[in-house]
Amino acid sequence: MNNHDKQIIHKQLSMSALIGELPERFFETLAAQAHLERYEAKTLLCQHGQPMTHIWLVVEGFIDLIAHAPSGRVSSLVHIGKGQWATWLGCFYDAPPKHDFYSSANAVLISVPCQTLRNIADHHPPLHHSVIRHIGERFRLLMEWTEQSSLLKHEYRMAKMLCVMARMSEVRGDAGYITATQDVLARSAGCSRQTTNQLLKKLADQQLLVLHYKRIEIPSISKLEDFAFQSL
């Protein structure tokens, strides 16, 4: 590993709310075991049914968690963006995941051996507490989507889904950013690509979204959430 990669790893890990709080000796142990990975094309990182040996921090691009139905249909469970980890539950839960982990094209990731994190957490229990809070927040967001998605209609349902994805992806203050194609959003919302395109345009016309190529900007997540709640 060259010095430039080491500098990126140290900088990105120090910016992570969970890892940046580690005592120096644990932080340095973790940084020494971490590797910078670059993927030009969409790449399978971990296949369902296989043990999860590494956890990834997204530096650029995103990671998709893909579920497979017996019929052959697939859906995107979670879209994990810049600054987020994929995933802490897989790191501390022994059972192999039931979904696939895919990197996006042009992704830059930091991979850390799960065993290294488990060893550090065993010697530094506050890490366990931080991880539990992090998993709990993600679970709360997913439960909100599960509970409300069946009650919401049309663009309100899409608005709520985008809020959840943004909060689990890239957030800067109240602004959210989602790096995803409309095909990915359609699979997540359970509707056609054409319908997805129409709903996104309706939300953009109301200045709740700014649409870019493979990227959606949400100027205010709280305003988009308020809009979604109007139909409840």
Side-chain angles (χ1 to χ4, degrees), residues 52-68:
M52 187 173 174
T53 60
H54 289 75
I55 182 173
W56 296 274
L57 173 63
V58 180
V59 179
E60 297 291 344
F62 57 89
I63 292 176
D64 267 335
L65 273 62
I66 307 295
H68 297 264

Side-chain angles (χ1 to χ4, degrees), residues 76-217:
S76 300
L77 290 175
V78 180
H79 188 79
I80 299 171
K82 188 175 180 179
Q84 301 295 321
W85 290 88
T87 67
W88 287 102
L89 185 61
C91 181
F92 289 97
Y93 186 56
D94 290 333
K98 296 183 179 180
H99 44 265
D100 296 332
F101 289 73
Y102 275 94
S103 79
S104 68
N106 302 314
V108 179
L109 313 174
I110 295 175
S111 67
V112 178
C114 291
Q115 190 58 54
T116 298
L117 277 164
R118 293 189 190 108
N119 292 341
I120 290 175
D122 287 344
H123 291 86
H124 184 66
L127 179 58
H128 277 299
H129 303 155
S130 297
V131 170
I132 289 171
R133 287 196 299 271
H134 179 79
I135 293 174
E137 175 61 18
R138 284 182 171 267
F139 181 74
R140 182 187 67 80
L141 289 170
L142 290 174
M143 284 300 296
E144 278 187 12
W145 168 243
T146 301
E147 293 169 353
Q148 297 175 12
S149 62
S150 61
L151 302 175
L152 298 170
K153 296 181 180 180
H154 307 305
E155 64 264 36
Y156 302 104
R157 188 169 186 267
M158 178 63 70
K160 180 60 181 179
M161 186 189 77
L162 293 175
C163 288
V164 172
M165 292 181 72
R167 292 198 182 282
M168 297 179 71
S169 183
E170 190 176 349
V171 180
R172 300 171 188 170
D174 190 37
Y177 304 84
I178 300 170
T179 307
T181 64
Q182 292 191 14
D183 287 333
V184 169
L185 295 177
R187 289 200 303 267
S188 299
C191 59
S192 69
R193 190 183 187 284
Q194 181 180 7
T195 299
T196 297
N197 182 265
Q198 293 171 349
L199 295 178
L200 291 176
K201 286 183 177 179
K202 284 184 179 180
L203 295 173
D205 288 342
Q206 298 178 69
Q207 299 183 334
L208 295 168
L209 305 177
V210 180
L211 303 179
H212 304 281
Y213 178 66
K214 293 185 179 181
R215 180 179 171 89
I216 297 173
E217 177 184 349

